[in-house]
Amino acid sequence: MPHWMKLVAPVALAALLALLPAPDGLAPHAWLYFAIFAGVVLALVLEPIPGALIGLTGVTLIALLSPWVLYGPAELARPGFRPATASLAWALSGFSNATVWLIFAAFMFALGYEKSGLGRRIALLLVRAMGRRTLTLGYAIAFADLALSPFTPSNTARSGGTIYPVVRNLPPLYGSLPNDPSARRIGGYVMWTAIAATCVTSSMFLTALAPNLLALELAARTARVTITWFEWFLAFAPVGAILLLAVPLLAWKLYPPEVTEGGEVVAWAGEELARMGGLTRKEALLGVLVVVALGLWVFGEPAINSTTVGLAVFAAIVLTGIASWDDVLANKQAWNTLAWFATLVALAGGLAQVGFVAWFAGRVGGAVAGVSPTTALVALVVVFYLAHYAFASVTAHVTALLPVMLTVGAAVPGMDMKALTLSLVLTLGIMGILTPYATGPSPVYYGSGYLPARDYWRLGAVFGAVFLAVFLVVGIPWIMLIR
């Protein structure tokens, strides 16, 4: 699609919806709010401009038009009510949201891994220990991602920025070159195992993927459901363990390497570790901080909030010199995510504020009458998962579909909303395996030269089906049991 069409399409959609009469039972200002929200979602899908700018534009437009789109006649008629002041407080509300700041703090963990070198050291140690055979090399890659994932909310930074720079050096050691018939010797297996593993770990931990945290905030606003870090981990643990152990072996069977063993990788990893030298003070300090944070996230609630833990460790990372304040200021991805998610949280919360969510729930109630809660839950999960084929961003997927799915679920009599919420949000990581654009690091591995388009789409479909099947057969019954 031409760039000008990507710019025009969201505006056209918002204008078209705004010109239509409000549906029965929905206040006119709520319909106008939804029109702008729909335009924002389409812009997030098409991305004609950066996502953070899209969100900022959306909240600013609504704040400017607040007397017509954010507040109804009853609110405007209240004595002393000032829509300009109230709308500004609404627009900035996302920046005071605890979840948004936890996301930002978790990005600082990733910065610490990068600046201290601990992330690279962990990956190299596992490669040296398990790299003599290609299959165990696959497990080394998966376990390296697992070790970094609880503290790296960007799987692009974790896999694309830490794991990939290590593994891209491995295939040439065996004469396996990108964009060459030799790519299948070992390179294709290594690259596919890496992207598949990071999709699993992205679902395993709440803090392993930034949209996970955004999803929980939207769930809290839409369905009044709260989920702790440990509840998330416990709910996905059986599925995560099965898939993480299965990924290297499944890739071995479905995309087998020609080279099955050799000492070149082990020797290379040893040389790289020798160049790094012994464990540095920064690496040791970061290791301690990581263990403390994990312990407090698991056992600290409700005595200490998860965001407080994240911010405390972030401050410690800077104060101890693991990363400098200039490093923090230069971390564009963290600041971009802060602005992006803060505005999206405000926009999504506005749907409930204007009454659109309650109206929509009432309208769909009749459509799902007679459907059992379990059948509805499974159907919603499958639709939510497969719909990711249409999205190039997990964030856009969450913003567009999660509130809708939760609202539909709430209209089903007897639906356990916490079970439904867990069942939906836990798929956000694993759905990243579906396409070459499904999640942040996907284009990195797709562009490596080791995974041709035809192979990537085929493997994505097969692994995507396996991931979904395991989640439906193991994950949902487990969630129902622990719920």
PDB file of all heavy atoms in Angstrom, residues 113-148:
ATOM      1  N   TYR A 113      21.741  -5.726  30.926  1.00  0.00           N
ATOM      2  CA  TYR A 113      22.301  -6.927  30.291  1.00  0.00           C
ATOM      3  C   TYR A 113      23.252  -6.542  29.162  1.00  0.00           C
ATOM      4  O   TYR A 113      24.325  -7.135  28.991  1.00  0.00           O
ATOM      5  CB  TYR A 113      21.173  -7.796  29.721  1.00  0.00           C
ATOM      6  CG  TYR A 113      20.599  -8.793  30.691  1.00  0.00           C
ATOM      7  CD1 TYR A 113      19.252  -8.746  31.056  1.00  0.00           C
ATOM      8  CD2 TYR A 113      21.383  -9.796  31.227  1.00  0.00           C
ATOM      9  CE1 TYR A 113      18.710  -9.671  31.936  1.00  0.00           C
ATOM     10  CE2 TYR A 113      20.850 -10.738  32.101  1.00  0.00           C
ATOM     11  CZ  TYR A 113      19.513 -10.663  32.455  1.00  0.00           C
ATOM     12  OH  TYR A 113      18.995 -11.577  33.324  1.00  0.00           O
ATOM     13  N   GLU A 114      22.836  -5.549  28.377  1.00  0.00           N
ATOM     14  CA  GLU A 114      23.640  -5.147  27.226  1.00  0.00           C
ATOM     15  C   GLU A 114      24.935  -4.472  27.664  1.00  0.00           C
ATOM     16  O   GLU A 114      26.029  -4.831  27.200  1.00  0.00           O
ATOM     17  CB  GLU A 114      22.833  -4.190  26.349  1.00  0.00           C
ATOM     18  CG  GLU A 114      23.613  -3.629  25.173  1.00  0.00           C
ATOM     19  CD  GLU A 114      22.883  -2.507  24.478  1.00  0.00           C
ATOM     20  OE1 GLU A 114      21.668  -2.339  24.689  1.00  0.00           O
ATOM     21  OE2 GLU A 114      23.549  -1.769  23.712  1.00  0.00           O
ATOM     22  N   LYS A 115      24.833  -3.499  28.566  1.00  0.00           N
ATOM     23  CA  LYS A 115      26.000  -2.708  28.948  1.00  0.00           C
ATOM     24  C   LYS A 115      26.990  -3.491  29.794  1.00  0.00           C
ATOM     25  O   LYS A 115      28.202  -3.283  29.706  1.00  0.00           O
ATOM     26  CB  LYS A 115      25.562  -1.445  29.694  1.00  0.00           C
ATOM     27  CG  LYS A 115      24.803  -0.449  28.824  1.00  0.00           C
ATOM     28  CD  LYS A 115      25.670   0.022  27.665  1.00  0.00           C
ATOM     29  CE  LYS A 115      24.930   0.984  26.760  1.00  0.00           C
ATOM     30  NZ  LYS A 115      25.775   1.444  25.635  1.00  0.00           N
ATOM     31  N   SER A 116      26.492  -4.402  30.617  1.00  0.00           N
ATOM     32  CA  SER A 116      27.396  -5.192  31.468  1.00  0.00           C
ATOM     33  C   SER A 116      28.039  -6.346  30.708  1.00  0.00           C
ATOM     34  O   SER A 116      29.107  -6.825  31.076  1.00  0.00           O
ATOM     35  CB  SER A 116      26.631  -5.747  32.675  1.00  0.00           C
ATOM     36  OG  SER A 116      25.691  -6.732  32.268  1.00  0.00           O
ATOM     37  N   GLY A 117      27.371  -6.801  29.624  1.00  0.00           N
ATOM     38  CA  GLY A 117      27.860  -7.963  28.884  1.00  0.00           C
ATOM     39  C   GLY A 117      27.363  -9.282  29.446  1.00  0.00           C
ATOM     40  O   GLY A 117      27.719 -10.351  28.932  1.00  0.00           O
ATOM     41  N   LEU A 118      26.525  -9.234  30.494  1.00  0.00           N
ATOM     42  CA  LEU A 118      26.070 -10.476  31.123  1.00  0.00           C
ATOM     43  C   LEU A 118      25.215 -11.305  30.173  1.00  0.00           C
ATOM     44  O   LEU A 118      25.314 -12.542  30.165  1.00  0.00           O
ATOM     45  CB  LEU A 118      25.280 -10.154  32.393  1.00  0.00           C
ATOM     46  CG  LEU A 118      24.780 -11.352  33.201  1.00  0.00           C
ATOM     47  CD1 LEU A 118      25.938 -12.227  33.656  1.00  0.00           C
ATOM     48  CD2 LEU A 118      23.945 -10.891  34.392  1.00  0.00           C
ATOM     49  N   GLY A 119      24.381 -10.664  29.369  1.00  0.00           N
ATOM     50  CA  GLY A 119      23.539 -11.407  28.444  1.00  0.00           C
ATOM     51  C   GLY A 119      24.358 -12.196  27.436  1.00  0.00           C
ATOM     52  O   GLY A 119      24.103 -13.377  27.186  1.00  0.00           O
ATOM     53  N   ARG A 120      25.380 -11.553  26.872  1.00  0.00           N
ATOM     54  CA  ARG A 120      26.245 -12.244  25.912  1.00  0.00           C
ATOM     55  C   ARG A 120      27.018 -13.365  26.593  1.00  0.00           C
ATOM     56  O   ARG A 120      27.175 -14.448  26.026  1.00  0.00           O
ATOM     57  CB  ARG A 120      27.207 -11.237  25.279  1.00  0.00           C
ATOM     58  CG  ARG A 120      28.202 -11.859  24.313  1.00  0.00           C
ATOM     59  CD  ARG A 120      29.069 -10.794  23.648  1.00  0.00           C
ATOM     60  NE  ARG A 120      30.161 -11.376  22.882  1.00  0.00           N
ATOM     61  CZ  ARG A 120      30.049 -11.874  21.659  1.00  0.00           C
ATOM     62  NH1 ARG A 120      28.875 -11.859  21.066  1.00  0.00           N
ATOM     63  NH2 ARG A 120      31.083 -12.382  21.018  1.00  0.00           N
ATOM     64  N   ARG A 121      27.468 -13.142  27.808  1.00  0.00           N
ATOM     65  CA  ARG A 121      28.222 -14.175  28.523  1.00  0.00           C
ATOM     66  C   ARG A 121      27.353 -15.405  28.771  1.00  0.00           C
ATOM     67  O   ARG A 121      27.812 -16.549  28.599  1.00  0.00           O
ATOM     68  CB  ARG A 121      28.740 -13.629  29.855  1.00  0.00           C
ATOM     69  CG  ARG A 121      29.638 -14.633  30.605  1.00  0.00           C
ATOM     70  CD  ARG A 121      30.099 -14.080  31.936  1.00  0.00           C
ATOM     71  NE  ARG A 121      30.957 -12.918  31.778  1.00  0.00           N
ATOM     72  CZ  ARG A 121      32.273 -12.994  31.561  1.00  0.00           C
ATOM     73  NH1 ARG A 121      32.864 -14.183  31.458  1.00  0.00           N
ATOM     74  NH2 ARG A 121      32.985 -11.905  31.446  1.00  0.00           N
ATOM     75  N   ILE A 122      26.106 -15.197  29.182  1.00  0.00           N
ATOM     76  CA  ILE A 122      25.210 -16.332  29.422  1.00  0.00           C
ATOM     77  C   ILE A 122      25.019 -17.144  28.146  1.00  0.00           C
ATOM     78  O   ILE A 122      25.085 -18.382  28.157  1.00  0.00           O
ATOM     79  CB  ILE A 122      23.852 -15.824  29.951  1.00  0.00           C
ATOM     80  CG1 ILE A 122      24.016 -15.274  31.377  1.00  0.00           C
ATOM     81  CG2 ILE A 122      22.815 -16.944  29.932  1.00  0.00           C
ATOM     82  CD1 ILE A 122      22.775 -14.571  31.891  1.00  0.00           C
ATOM     83  N   ALA A 123      24.797 -16.446  27.032  1.00  0.00           N
ATOM     84  CA  ALA A 123      24.591 -17.147  25.759  1.00  0.00           C
ATOM     85  C   ALA A 123      25.833 -17.939  25.367  1.00  0.00           C
ATOM     86  O   ALA A 123      25.747 -19.104  24.953  1.00  0.00           O
ATOM     87  CB  ALA A 123      24.239 -16.137  24.669  1.00  0.00           C
ATOM     88  N   LEU A 124      27.008 -17.341  25.514  1.00  0.00           N
ATOM     89  CA  LEU A 124      28.256 -18.019  25.134  1.00  0.00           C
ATOM     90  C   LEU A 124      28.548 -19.201  26.047  1.00  0.00           C
ATOM     91  O   LEU A 124      29.045 -20.249  25.589  1.00  0.00           O
ATOM     92  CB  LEU A 124      29.416 -17.029  25.165  1.00  0.00           C
ATOM     93  CG  LEU A 124      29.431 -15.983  24.039  1.00  0.00           C
ATOM     94  CD1 LEU A 124      30.485 -14.921  24.306  1.00  0.00           C
ATOM     95  CD2 LEU A 124      29.667 -16.640  22.687  1.00  0.00           C
ATOM     96  N   LEU A 125      28.268 -19.056  27.339  1.00  0.00           N
ATOM     97  CA  LEU A 125      28.499 -20.170  28.269  1.00  0.00           C
ATOM     98  C   LEU A 125      27.647 -21.373  27.900  1.00  0.00           C
ATOM     99  O   LEU A 125      28.125 -22.523  27.928  1.00  0.00           O
ATOM    100  CB  LEU A 125      28.192 -19.725  29.701  1.00  0.00           C
ATOM    101  CG  LEU A 125      29.245 -18.838  30.374  1.00  0.00           C
ATOM    102  CD1 LEU A 125      28.694 -18.264  31.680  1.00  0.00           C
ATOM    103  CD2 LEU A 125      30.529 -19.626  30.643  1.00  0.00           C
ATOM    104  N   LEU A 126      26.396 -21.121  27.544  1.00  0.00           N
ATOM    105  CA  LEU A 126      25.520 -22.228  27.168  1.00  0.00           C
ATOM    106  C   LEU A 126      25.949 -22.856  25.849  1.00  0.00           C
ATOM    107  O   LEU A 126      25.904 -24.085  25.682  1.00  0.00           O
ATOM    108  CB  LEU A 126      24.072 -21.735  27.090  1.00  0.00           C
ATOM    109  CG  LEU A 126      23.408 -21.509  28.451  1.00  0.00           C
ATOM    110  CD1 LEU A 126      22.120 -20.715  28.297  1.00  0.00           C
ATOM    111  CD2 LEU A 126      23.112 -22.850  29.110  1.00  0.00           C
ATOM    112  N   VAL A 127      26.376 -22.022  24.905  1.00  0.00           N
ATOM    113  CA  VAL A 127      26.861 -22.558  23.624  1.00  0.00           C
ATOM    114  C   VAL A 127      28.114 -23.400  23.842  1.00  0.00           C
ATOM    115  O   VAL A 127      28.254 -24.487  23.264  1.00  0.00           O
ATOM    116  CB  VAL A 127      27.146 -21.406  22.634  1.00  0.00           C
ATOM    117  CG1 VAL A 127      27.920 -21.916  21.422  1.00  0.00           C
ATOM    118  CG2 VAL A 127      25.836 -20.769  22.179  1.00  0.00           C
ATOM    119  N   ARG A 128      29.019 -22.928  24.685  1.00  0.00           N
ATOM    120  CA  ARG A 128      30.239 -23.702  24.953  1.00  0.00           C
ATOM    121  C   ARG A 128      29.914 -25.023  25.639  1.00  0.00           C
ATOM    122  O   ARG A 128      30.529 -26.063  25.349  1.00  0.00           O
ATOM    123  CB  ARG A 128      31.194 -22.886  25.823  1.00  0.00           C
ATOM    124  CG  ARG A 128      32.564 -23.564  26.019  1.00  0.00           C
ATOM    125  CD  ARG A 128      33.482 -22.745  26.882  1.00  0.00           C
ATOM    126  NE  ARG A 128      33.002 -22.661  28.271  1.00  0.00           N
ATOM    127  CZ  ARG A 128      33.676 -22.043  29.244  1.00  0.00           C
ATOM    128  NH1 ARG A 128      34.834 -21.439  28.972  1.00  0.00           N
ATOM    129  NH2 ARG A 128      33.190 -22.007  30.474  1.00  0.00           N
ATOM    130  N   ALA A 129      28.938 -25.006  26.540  1.00  0.00           N
ATOM    131  CA  ALA A 129      28.612 -26.209  27.297  1.00  0.00           C
ATOM    132  C   ALA A 129      27.818 -27.219  26.478  1.00  0.00           C
ATOM    133  O   ALA A 129      27.946 -28.427  26.687  1.00  0.00           O
ATOM    134  CB  ALA A 129      27.823 -25.835  28.551  1.00  0.00           C
ATOM    135  N   MET A 130      26.999 -26.742  25.522  1.00  0.00           N
ATOM    136  CA  MET A 130      26.053 -27.632  24.855  1.00  0.00           C
ATOM    137  C   MET A 130      26.170 -27.624  23.337  1.00  0.00           C
ATOM    138  O   MET A 130      25.336 -28.203  22.653  1.00  0.00           O
ATOM    139  CB  MET A 130      24.619 -27.236  25.247  1.00  0.00           C
ATOM    140  CG  MET A 130      24.360 -27.226  26.738  1.00  0.00           C
ATOM    141  SD  MET A 130      22.711 -26.611  27.184  1.00  0.00           S
ATOM    142  CE  MET A 130      21.679 -27.906  26.497  1.00  0.00           C
ATOM    143  N   GLY A 131      27.198 -26.991  22.796  1.00  0.00           N
ATOM    144  CA  GLY A 131      27.264 -26.799  21.360  1.00  0.00           C
ATOM    145  C   GLY A 131      27.948 -27.890  20.559  1.00  0.00           C
ATOM    146  O   GLY A 131      28.047 -27.774  19.336  1.00  0.00           O
ATOM    147  N   ARG A 132      28.409 -28.942  21.203  1.00  0.00           N
ATOM    148  CA  ARG A 132      29.142 -29.963  20.444  1.00  0.00           C
ATOM    149  C   ARG A 132      28.223 -30.712  19.483  1.00  0.00           C
ATOM    150  O   ARG A 132      28.671 -31.145  18.415  1.00  0.00           O
ATOM    151  CB  ARG A 132      29.823 -30.931  21.406  1.00  0.00           C
ATOM    152  CG  ARG A 132      30.836 -31.846  20.721  1.00  0.00           C
ATOM    153  CD  ARG A 132      31.719 -32.540  21.728  1.00  0.00           C
ATOM    154  NE  ARG A 132      32.544 -31.591  22.460  1.00  0.00           N
ATOM    155  CZ  ARG A 132      33.686 -31.078  21.998  1.00  0.00           C
ATOM    156  NH1 ARG A 132      34.099 -31.401  20.788  1.00  0.00           N
ATOM    157  NH2 ARG A 132      34.377 -30.247  22.734  1.00  0.00           N
ATOM    158  N   ARG A 133      26.973 -30.883  19.858  1.00  0.00           N
ATOM    159  CA  ARG A 133      25.989 -31.498  18.959  1.00  0.00           C
ATOM    160  C   ARG A 133      24.972 -30.439  18.544  1.00  0.00           C
ATOM    161  O   ARG A 133      24.613 -29.570  19.339  1.00  0.00           O
ATOM    162  CB  ARG A 133      25.277 -32.672  19.647  1.00  0.00           C
ATOM    163  CG  ARG A 133      26.197 -33.822  20.008  1.00  0.00           C
ATOM    164  CD  ARG A 133      25.413 -34.976  20.587  1.00  0.00           C
ATOM    165  NE  ARG A 133      24.430 -35.476  19.631  1.00  0.00           N
ATOM    166  CZ  ARG A 133      23.240 -35.979  19.982  1.00  0.00           C
ATOM    167  NH1 ARG A 133      22.881 -36.022  21.246  1.00  0.00           N
ATOM    168  NH2 ARG A 133      22.418 -36.412  19.055  1.00  0.00           N
ATOM    169  N   THR A 134      24.496 -30.527  17.326  1.00  0.00           N
ATOM    170  CA  THR A 134      23.591 -29.500  16.818  1.00  0.00           C
ATOM    171  C   THR A 134      22.288 -29.458  17.609  1.00  0.00           C
ATOM    172  O   THR A 134      21.742 -28.385  17.875  1.00  0.00           O
ATOM    173  CB  THR A 134      23.289 -29.739  15.332  1.00  0.00           C
ATOM    174  OG1 THR A 134      24.523 -29.868  14.620  1.00  0.00           O
ATOM    175  CG2 THR A 134      22.508 -28.585  14.743  1.00  0.00           C
ATOM    176  N   LEU A 135      21.781 -30.627  18.006  1.00  0.00           N
ATOM    177  CA  LEU A 135      20.539 -30.655  18.766  1.00  0.00           C
ATOM    178  C   LEU A 135      20.716 -29.964  20.115  1.00  0.00           C
ATOM    179  O   LEU A 135      19.877 -29.144  20.524  1.00  0.00           O
ATOM    180  CB  LEU A 135      20.064 -32.091  18.964  1.00  0.00           C
ATOM    181  CG  LEU A 135      18.770 -32.252  19.774  1.00  0.00           C
ATOM    182  CD1 LEU A 135      17.614 -31.512  19.106  1.00  0.00           C
ATOM    183  CD2 LEU A 135      18.427 -33.745  19.929  1.00  0.00           C
ATOM    184  N   THR A 136      21.783 -30.278  20.814  1.00  0.00           N
ATOM    185  CA  THR A 136      21.995 -29.630  22.111  1.00  0.00           C
ATOM    186  C   THR A 136      22.342 -28.149  21.937  1.00  0.00           C
ATOM    187  O   THR A 136      22.080 -27.338  22.832  1.00  0.00           O
ATOM    188  CB  THR A 136      23.111 -30.338  22.903  1.00  0.00           C
ATOM    189  OG1 THR A 136      24.298 -30.412  22.105  1.00  0.00           O
ATOM    190  CG2 THR A 136      22.673 -31.739  23.300  1.00  0.00           C
ATOM    191  N   LEU A 137      22.910 -27.791  20.786  1.00  0.00           N
ATOM    192  CA  LEU A 137      23.119 -26.376  20.492  1.00  0.00           C
ATOM    193  C   LEU A 137      21.769 -25.658  20.431  1.00  0.00           C
ATOM    194  O   LEU A 137      21.625 -24.530  20.916  1.00  0.00           O
ATOM    195  CB  LEU A 137      23.859 -26.218  19.170  1.00  0.00           C
ATOM    196  CG  LEU A 137      24.040 -24.792  18.646  1.00  0.00           C
ATOM    197  CD1 LEU A 137      24.862 -23.963  19.620  1.00  0.00           C
ATOM    198  CD2 LEU A 137      24.687 -24.800  17.264  1.00  0.00           C
ATOM    199  N   GLY A 138      20.774 -26.316  19.832  1.00  0.00           N
ATOM    200  CA  GLY A 138      19.429 -25.751  19.806  1.00  0.00           C
ATOM    201  C   GLY A 138      18.900 -25.517  21.211  1.00  0.00           C
ATOM    202  O   GLY A 138      18.290 -24.478  21.498  1.00  0.00           O
ATOM    203  N   TYR A 139      19.144 -26.471  22.110  1.00  0.00           N
ATOM    204  CA  TYR A 139      18.707 -26.293  23.497  1.00  0.00           C
ATOM    205  C   TYR A 139      19.488 -25.174  24.186  1.00  0.00           C
ATOM    206  O   TYR A 139      18.946 -24.444  25.016  1.00  0.00           O
ATOM    207  CB  TYR A 139      18.848 -27.609  24.266  1.00  0.00           C
ATOM    208  CG  TYR A 139      17.722 -28.560  23.983  1.00  0.00           C
ATOM    209  CD1 TYR A 139      17.874 -29.624  23.093  1.00  0.00           C
ATOM    210  CD2 TYR A 139      16.473 -28.380  24.581  1.00  0.00           C
ATOM    211  CE1 TYR A 139      16.825 -30.483  22.812  1.00  0.00           C
ATOM    212  CE2 TYR A 139      15.417 -29.237  24.300  1.00  0.00           C
ATOM    213  CZ  TYR A 139      15.600 -30.282  23.417  1.00  0.00           C
ATOM    214  OH  TYR A 139      14.554 -31.133  23.128  1.00  0.00           O
ATOM    215  N   ALA A 140      20.765 -25.025  23.860  1.00  0.00           N
ATOM    216  CA  ALA A 140      21.553 -23.928  24.430  1.00  0.00           C
ATOM    217  C   ALA A 140      20.960 -22.583  24.034  1.00  0.00           C
ATOM    218  O   ALA A 140      20.865 -21.660  24.861  1.00  0.00           O
ATOM    219  CB  ALA A 140      23.004 -24.030  23.969  1.00  0.00           C
ATOM    220  N   ILE A 141      20.561 -22.452  22.782  1.00  0.00           N
ATOM    221  CA  ILE A 141      19.948 -21.210  22.304  1.00  0.00           C
ATOM    222  C   ILE A 141      18.641 -20.946  23.045  1.00  0.00           C
ATOM    223  O   ILE A 141      18.371 -19.825  23.496  1.00  0.00           O
ATOM    224  CB  ILE A 141      19.713 -21.285  20.788  1.00  0.00           C
ATOM    225  CG1 ILE A 141      21.056 -21.333  20.046  1.00  0.00           C
ATOM    226  CG2 ILE A 141      18.868 -20.115  20.302  1.00  0.00           C
ATOM    227  CD1 ILE A 141      20.930 -21.702  18.580  1.00  0.00           C
ATOM    228  N   ALA A 142      17.813 -21.988  23.189  1.00  0.00           N
ATOM    229  CA  ALA A 142      16.526 -21.841  23.873  1.00  0.00           C
ATOM    230  C   ALA A 142      16.721 -21.465  25.341  1.00  0.00           C
ATOM    231  O   ALA A 142      16.024 -20.584  25.870  1.00  0.00           O
ATOM    232  CB  ALA A 142      15.722 -23.137  23.756  1.00  0.00           C
ATOM    233  N   PHE A 143      17.671 -22.106  26.007  1.00  0.00           N
ATOM    234  CA  PHE A 143      17.887 -21.830  27.429  1.00  0.00           C
ATOM    235  C   PHE A 143      18.517 -20.454  27.647  1.00  0.00           C
ATOM    236  O   PHE A 143      18.272 -19.810  28.666  1.00  0.00           O
ATOM    237  CB  PHE A 143      18.764 -22.915  28.043  1.00  0.00           C
ATOM    238  CG  PHE A 143      18.108 -24.271  28.102  1.00  0.00           C
ATOM    239  CD1 PHE A 143      18.862 -25.430  28.169  1.00  0.00           C
ATOM    240  CD2 PHE A 143      16.721 -24.391  28.058  1.00  0.00           C
ATOM    241  CE1 PHE A 143      18.263 -26.676  28.213  1.00  0.00           C
ATOM    242  CE2 PHE A 143      16.110 -25.638  28.094  1.00  0.00           C
ATOM    243  CZ  PHE A 143      16.879 -26.785  28.178  1.00  0.00           C
ATOM    244  N   ALA A 144      19.323 -20.000  26.701  1.00  0.00           N
ATOM    245  CA  ALA A 144      19.890 -18.655  26.808  1.00  0.00           C
ATOM    246  C   ALA A 144      18.769 -17.612  26.745  1.00  0.00           C
ATOM    247  O   ALA A 144      18.748 -16.653  27.526  1.00  0.00           O
ATOM    248  CB  ALA A 144      20.900 -18.413  25.691  1.00  0.00           C
ATOM    249  N   ASP A 145      17.843 -17.816  25.837  1.00  0.00           N
ATOM    250  CA  ASP A 145      16.700 -16.901  25.751  1.00  0.00           C
ATOM    251  C   ASP A 145      15.864 -16.963  27.017  1.00  0.00           C
ATOM    252  O   ASP A 145      15.413 -15.935  27.539  1.00  0.00           O
ATOM    253  CB  ASP A 145      15.844 -17.263  24.533  1.00  0.00           C
ATOM    254  CG  ASP A 145      14.914 -16.136  24.122  1.00  0.00           C
ATOM    255  OD1 ASP A 145      13.990 -15.829  24.902  1.00  0.00           O
ATOM    256  OD2 ASP A 145      15.114 -15.554  23.041  1.00  0.00           O
ATOM    257  N   LEU A 146      15.679 -18.172  27.549  1.00  0.00           N
ATOM    258  CA  LEU A 146      14.918 -18.351  28.776  1.00  0.00           C
ATOM    259  C   LEU A 146      15.555 -17.592  29.936  1.00  0.00           C
ATOM    260  O   LEU A 146      14.861 -16.950  30.733  1.00  0.00           O
ATOM    261  CB  LEU A 146      14.825 -19.842  29.112  1.00  0.00           C
ATOM    262  CG  LEU A 146      14.125 -20.199  30.428  1.00  0.00           C
ATOM    263  CD1 LEU A 146      12.643 -19.834  30.366  1.00  0.00           C
ATOM    264  CD2 LEU A 146      14.308 -21.682  30.740  1.00  0.00           C
ATOM    265  N   ALA A 147      16.881 -17.637  30.029  1.00  0.00           N
ATOM    266  CA  ALA A 147      17.580 -16.980  31.130  1.00  0.00           C
ATOM    267  C   ALA A 147      17.421 -15.463  31.085  1.00  0.00           C
ATOM    268  O   ALA A 147      17.384 -14.806  32.129  1.00  0.00           O
ATOM    269  CB  ALA A 147      19.062 -17.351  31.100  1.00  0.00           C
ATOM    270  N   LEU A 148      17.313 -14.916  29.898  1.00  0.00           N
ATOM    271  CA  LEU A 148      17.208 -13.458  29.754  1.00  0.00           C
ATOM    272  C   LEU A 148      15.772 -12.951  29.783  1.00  0.00           C
ATOM    273  O   LEU A 148      15.533 -11.776  30.078  1.00  0.00           O
ATOM    274  CB  LEU A 148      17.852 -13.029  28.430  1.00  0.00           C
ATOM    275  CG  LEU A 148      19.328 -13.369  28.226  1.00  0.00           C
ATOM    276  CD1 LEU A 148      19.774 -12.945  26.832  1.00  0.00           C
ATOM    277  CD2 LEU A 148      20.188 -12.689  29.276  1.00  0.00           C
TER     278      LEU A 148
END
